Amino acid sequence: MTIDHCTLCPRACGAQRTETAGSGFCGMGILPVVARAAPHFGEEPCVTGTRGSGAVFFRGCGLGCVFCQNSEISRGDGPGRRVTAEALGGVFAALREQGVHNINLVTASHVAPVVAQALRRYPPGIPVVYNCGGYESLETLRLLDGLVDVYLPDFKYADADTALRCANAPDYPQAALAAIRAMRAQTGPAQYDEQGLLTRGILVRHLVLPGLSGASMAALSLLRDALPADVPVSLMRQYTPCGQAAGIKGLDRPLLGREYRRVAAHMRALGFEGYAQGREAAGTEMIPAWEG
């Protein structure tokens, strides 16, 4: 199995990829590398529930934000175990047997063909959550149509300058908004079970960055204009200077409480339903151990 001209993410870098190696931005081959698969309790209540979300963290990423909390695995190296579609189906089954509420695919767009194959051949029997940075191609989302129940995208950047500075992706705002609209079109309005767990729909996340509360307010305004009123938003306060951010002026400090409160007030004024994080969310305690 090879890809001669990869276009799985909006970078469309045209890389050649074999099963085990790739020359593209993500640095990955075609077969997924699983860095961790375990019940996870760090998502929103409607995803985590009481028994946890069955999170499958994939190595590599097509976005590469400088402040990534998972930079140990998102750069295409680090711990992990390479899996076939059959083995990935076994991972889904093992997580389901542990009683998790859903299968949570974390950063899977660069390995989407094999993930889609695994979901078709070995359906997990519980909701499938696609957890991503929002930088998704419409072609890849079409591949996942009918296989994903819940989309959990970020909408990180409202303007090209911030997206360029933080992820070298000036097209992020347009690409992510188009992707989020396509996700909503696939799933329809949010649906919850009797426990309040999201079983179908989309929940959009936004992380407030230090010194950029105005950009965060602009991002929320763009989402308000682009999406139906029923789409919930999670406003995240967990920023910690990780990865390259520790050496970048402005991003090398924690988020201030007053910065977050300003954005949260704007979110309320826009009428969004959803979630806000407390100050305890910041720090590294919720970063998983990468066990492969």
Side-chain angles (χ1 to χ4, degrees), residues 8 15 52 55 58 63 66-67 98 144 161 193 202 244 264-265 272 275 290:
L8 283 174
F58 295 99
L63 186 54
V66 294
F67 51 81
Q98 292 181 63
L144 298 167
D161 288 344
D193 67 10
I202 174 172
Q244 302 170 52
F272 277 115
Y275 300 92
W290 309 117

Side-chain angles (χ1 to χ4, degrees), residues 35-36 40 55 57 69-70 72 284-291:
R36 178 180 171 85
H40 184 58
F57 289 87
Q69 289 190 336
N70 297 343
E72 186 179 349
T284 59
E285 289 77 10
M286 291 304 293
I287 299 176
W290 309 117
E291 301 166 344

Side-chain angles (χ1 to χ4, degrees), residues 184 187-192 198-203 230-232:
R184 173 57 171 73
T187 64
Q191 299 177 27
Y192 300 87
L198 186 61
T199 58
R200 189 165 180 82
I202 174 172
L203 188 158
D230 59 74
V231 175

Side-chain angles (χ1 to χ4, degrees), residues 27-258:
M28 298 299 297
I30 297 168
L31 290 179
V33 177
V34 175
R36 178 180 171 85
H40 184 58
F41 293 87
E43 312 291 20
E44 288 75 10
C46 65
V47 177
T48 296
T50 57
R51 302 193 302 273
S53 178
V56 184
F57 289 87
F58 295 99
R59 199 169 79 188
C61 177
L63 186 54
C65 299
V66 294
F67 51 81
C68 181
Q69 289 190 336
N70 297 343
S71 59
E72 186 179 349
I73 64 168
S74 64
R75 304 304 182 197
D77 52 13
R81 180 177 299 177
R82 185 170 286 109
V83 294
T84 61
E86 181 180 8
L88 189 55
V91 170
F92 299 159
L95 287 169
R96 184 187 65 231
E97 289 170 5
Q98 292 181 63
V100 297
H101 295 289
N102 46 61
I103 298 298
N104 184 353
L105 307 170
V106 186
T107 316
S109 60
H110 56 293
V111 290
V114 177
V115 169
Q117 187 180 57
L119 291 171
R120 283 193 300 268
R121 292 184 180 178
Y122 313 101
I126 53 178
V128 173
V129 178
Y130 190 80
N131 187 336
C132 67
Y135 197 53
E136 304 290 319
S137 78
L138 299 183
E139 176 186 0
T140 297
L141 292 176
R142 284 192 287 270
L143 182 67
L144 298 167
D145 194 2
L147 301 173
V148 169
D149 301 290
V150 175
Y151 282 101
L152 198 59
D154 292 329
F155 184 59
K156 295 176 179 285
Y157 315 115
D159 62 273
D161 288 344
T162 304
L164 178 64
R165 177 191 179 199
C166 293
N168 196 27
D171 64 330
Y172 179 93
Q174 310 94 282
L177 280 176
I180 289 169
R181 288 191 190 99
M183 294 172 189
R184 173 57 171 73
Q186 281 189 20
T187 64
Q191 299 177 27
Y192 300 87
D193 67 10
E194 64 280 357
Q195 303 174 65
L197 291 164
L198 186 61
T199 58
R200 189 165 180 82
I202 174 172
L203 188 158
V204 182
R205 291 165 159 173
H206 177 75
L207 174 66
V208 184
L209 301 177
L212 292 169
S213 56
S216 285
M217 293 166 70
L220 291 174
S221 294
L222 283 175
L223 287 173
R224 179 74 296 160
D225 292 340
L227 295 173
D230 59 74
V231 175
V233 169
S234 177
L235 188 66
M236 297 188 294
R237 190 176 181 168
Q238 66 194 50
Y239 182 83
T240 301
C242 292
Q244 302 170 52
I248 299 175
K249 184 174 177 58
L251 295 175
D252 57 353
R253 66 167 175 85
L255 180 70
L256 301 178
R258 66 173 179 270

